[in-house]
Amino acid sequence: MFILTPLRDSRIGLLWGAQLLSATGAEFYMVAVIWIASGLIGGDAGYVSALQSGALLAGSLFAGVLTDRWRHGTTMVGASLFRASLLLLLAAASGFGFMSLPLLAVIAGLVALATSVYDPALQATLPVLAPGTAVRHAVNGLFDATRRMARILGPSLIALVNGLVPIGQFFAITAGAFLLSAFGVKAALRDIEGPAPEQRKGWASAIDAVIGGGRAVRHHRLMHFGLAADFIGNVTWSMGVLLGMALYLRANSPNPLTAYGLMMSAYGAGNLAANLVLAGFTPRRPLLWLVISKLTFGLGVLLMPFAPNIAALMACAALAAVNGPFENLALLHIIQHDFPPQRIAQVYRLQMCAVFGGSLAGYLAAPTLFAAFGLTPVIATLGAITLATGLVGLVLRRHLA
């Protein structure tokens, strides 16, 4: 099915537009946090990002105790409004000159907690909007594309407004995107009857909300590999790309923020191009998709710090970006087709634990490793380890199929 076909459904179109706004705003937010924190404390900025990842990990583990009792639409709207209010506070702090590291860290942690409840609610809603297999895969591709498009739109806009808008006001731009997104979600889901909220109470329900995803995947070997690969890839993404390349460009580029924005724009372009192609194909061999994701990402990151100019760096980023749609669409296919509807949000939260656990480990280790070995060797080694993960998947393919 053509990837744009599901947009004929006004509900899917509204929700997709809301998600694109949210994702694009999040790109502004991500760059602003990293840039302000690295300006305040240099390489130790990894600890601020680690706090965000820790909050995301905690939310992924425990938020289901509450959110499994709510309608998914309510969760998504509430999370968007909460994030918008927090970011307006940061924008005001920057505008009036009382931005501080403790304030940035606390609000970053709270925004991360809200994000950890928004994403599983969205993923649990999509099968309700698109119950058929072919339509569901196209919808997965559409919504996966929002992040890819945001990685083009966000950094491109950053490069455009850099010098015109103070970086602290990137938070206000993000807040506006979250507010508009909340209205879009509300309009899209107003007539949708999603899965009934969890009605059980007591410790049994709370425990199941926390460990239900682990119970569901305990005999699923392919999902085990997918989670491990996701963890390793996000160590590399956080330490090597988001923080490592930001610090590398600060030290080596005459216009580091513009260079970083162009690199991330190229990454977004590679993401989107791969997404548009892969959304037309059902991942009948999801292990192969996972292997390709690690090979391309690892090679791209390995080459990034050796790029002789901006054009070569953008090419490396575009190559690395191919990994995202291969990995995410394969994992979404597994989650939506191999697990019952009441477990989808729980298994997706488990995947989020792998993502944010990897990011947390990467950010915590970054200051020590960068100080001990230098930026270029660490970034290149992370790329090599990720590449090796794909090769391991090939070796073990008969055991994982």
Side-chain angles (χ1 to χ4, degrees), residues 226 229-230 234 289-290 293-294 323-332:
D230 221 356
N234 278 278
W289 287 38
L290 293 173
S293 77
K294 297 301 107 180
N323 101 94
F326 271 108
E327 180 174 68
N328 292 344
L329 292 177
L331 288 173
L332 284 174

Side-chain angles (χ1 to χ4, degrees), residues 36-52:
I36 290 174
S38 61
L40 290 171
I41 53 176
D44 288 342
Y47 292 128
V48 175
S49 296
L51 174 65
Q52 292 184 90

Side-chain angles (χ1 to χ4, degrees), residues 147-226:
R147 286 184 294 172
R148 318 303 173 193
M149 294 174 69
R151 285 176 182 157
I152 300 173
L153 294 173
S156 297
L157 290 171
I158 287 169
L160 181 65
V161 304
N162 181 30
L164 301 176
V165 177
I167 195 167
Q169 296 313 304
F170 285 13
F171 297 123
I173 295 173
T174 303
F178 284 152
L179 285 171
L180 291 174
S181 175
F183 289 123
V185 171
K186 182 68 174 176
L189 301 181
R190 63 180 181 273
D191 298 322
I192 299 297
E193 288 294 330
E198 175 64 62
Q199 298 299 321
R200 293 181 301 162
K201 298 181 180 180
W203 284 107
S205 176
I207 292 171
D208 184 67
V210 174
I211 67 172
R215 287 173 173 170
V217 306
R218 64 185 182 277
H219 300 305
H220 202 296
R221 289 179 292 181
L222 179 55
M223 196 65 191
H224 295 167
F225 174 75

Side-chain angles (χ1 to χ4, degrees), residues 208-373:
D208 184 67
V210 174
I211 67 172
R215 287 173 173 170
V217 306
R218 64 185 182 277
H219 300 305
H220 202 296
R221 289 179 292 181
L222 179 55
M223 196 65 191
H224 295 167
F225 174 75
L227 293 171
D230 221 356
F231 179 90
I232 292 169
N234 278 278
V235 171
T236 301
W237 171 248
S238 60
M239 192 194 313
V241 179
L242 291 182
L243 181 60
M245 288 305 299
L247 294 171
Y248 177 86
L249 291 172
R250 271 187 176 273
N252 295 283
S253 174
N255 196 346
L257 183 55
T258 297
Y260 189 76
L262 290 172
M263 180 192 77
M264 295 304 292
S265 293
Y267 191 94
N271 262 185
L272 182 60
N275 179 278
L276 292 175
V277 172
L278 294 176
F281 300 91
T282 302
R284 303 187 187 283
R285 299 176 63 189
L287 174 59
L288 178 61
W289 287 38
L290 293 173
V291 166
I292 292 173
S293 77
K294 297 301 107 180
L295 295 178
T296 54
F297 187 54
L299 181 60
V301 174
L302 174 61
L303 295 174
M304 276 184 186
F306 302 108
N309 51 50
I310 293 297
L313 176 62
M314 292 173 69
C316 293
L319 171 63
V322 172
N323 101 94
F326 271 108
E327 180 174 68
N328 292 344
L329 292 177
L331 288 173
L332 284 174
H333 178 82
I334 295 168
I335 291 170
Q336 293 177 354
H337 290 79
D338 292 2
F339 301 98
Q342 66 271 22
R343 293 295 184 189
I344 288 177
Q346 292 179 336
V347 177
Y348 188 78
R349 282 200 295 267
L350 186 65
Q351 186 203 344
M352 289 175 64
C353 288
V355 171
F356 302 133
S359 295
L360 176 61
Y363 286 131
L364 287 175
T368 300
L369 292 178
F370 288 154
F373 302 105

